[in-house]
Amino acid sequence: MDHKHTGRLTKDGIRIHEAADYAGMHAAGALASRILDDIAAHVFPGTTTGKINEIIHQMVDDAGATSATVGYKGYQHASCISVNHVVCHGIPGDKVLKEGDILNIDVTVIVDGWFGDTSRMYVAGKLPRKAERLIQVTHDSLMLGIEAVRPGNTFGDIGHAIQTYVESQRMSVVRDFCGHGLGRVFHAPPNVLHYGRPGTGPVLEEGMFFTIEPMVNLGRPETKTLPDDWTAVTRDKSLSAQFEHSVGVTADGVEIFTLSAADTFHPTYG
Ligand code: MF3
Ligand code: CO
Ligand code: CO
């Protein structure tokens, strides 16, 4: 593929993008986010994860965009749909959603060569009390991580903000998966860990684009990958949740590329 890269790389191999590049990320992020806004109406008991994925694929096509996940390392689908104790990379299929199931839907699109990557939690039917707390804590941990994004802070500051909050709520942060740099590529340096120590790791600079996507478990943090080589589940079968935004470091803070125009990133459950 012929990528037209802009900017420069830091000594850690992290790309510093140019001012004009934010608009490309914004457009890609807005589409991914709009798809997640619109898919909410299609999540209900009795539907399947395969049907939800089919609708997402159609939305990507209708927008004239490209799914980043179809064909990625052999992955075949336009989304990952991770239900209950599935931590991430759940493969859409004939699984029927039942009342009270919670699910993460993760969509990555390519618009004019720029990647927009975001995920949120949904519920089929009425949200169980325990899941509500897990979802709230996971969402809030992401937003606390984003609040730590500004030039001069470090990636360790982001991880620390997430970890200390999650553990204060007696939940655990998954260590086996992390966020990532992105831009004109899907996955680039650095690994964005959702745990860490203040002041450690690369220093944040204006022009860095990356995701923050904490996975939080009600039980222990360990995961295992099923024989399909994709589906990651909690080893102890406890419930898991995840939220993901794509962000850029600005001169004085952060720009979230995947904000919800409908303001339903964290859906309020009725
Ligand atoms: N969107 C996921 C992420 O947040 C990656 C999915 S890769 C796939 O990085 F192949 F599983 F789709
Ligand atoms: Co991601
Ligand atoms: Co994602």
Side-chain angles (χ1 to χ4, degrees), residues 68-70 72-73 75-77 79-80 89 106-108 117-119 178 180 186-187 211 213 230 242 244:
T69 53
V70 174
Y72 178 77
K73 295 185 176 172
Y75 194 80
Q76 305 275 347
H77 308 276
S79 62
C80 297
H89 301 163
D106 190 337
V107 170
T108 310
D117 185 5
T118 182
S119 80
C178 55
H180 48 93
F186 196 170
H187 292 108
T211 72
E213 47 182 298
W230 282 106
Q242 178 178 29
E244 174 176 27

Side-chain angles (χ1 to χ4, degrees), residues 101-118:
D101 280 347
I102 62 165
L103 50 149
N104 174 278
I105 304 181
D106 190 337
V107 170
T108 310
V109 296
I110 312 171
V111 175
D112 291 335
W114 296 100
F115 285 67
D117 185 5
T118 182

Side-chain angles (χ1 to χ4, degrees), residues 199-253:
T200 63
V203 176
L204 300 173
E205 291 179 47
E206 182 179 3
M208 290 180 175
F209 298 164
F210 53 89
T211 72
I212 309 178
E213 47 182 298
M215 286 139 275
V216 173
N217 300 346
L218 274 184
R220 295 198 45 83
E222 290 81 13
T223 72
K224 71 175 181 197
T225 301
L226 299 186
D228 63 24
D229 275 348
W230 282 106
T231 312
V233 299
T234 54
R235 276 193 179 267
D236 65 5
K237 303 261 174 41
S238 67
L239 277 186
S240 187
Q242 178 178 29
F243 284 86
E244 174 176 27
H245 269 315
S246 297
V247 306
V249 184
T250 61
D252 57 2

Side-chain angles (χ1 to χ4, degrees), residues 75-86:
Y75 194 80
Q76 305 275 347
H77 308 276
S79 62
C80 297
I81 303 186
S82 303
V83 182
N84 293 338
H85 74 297
V86 179

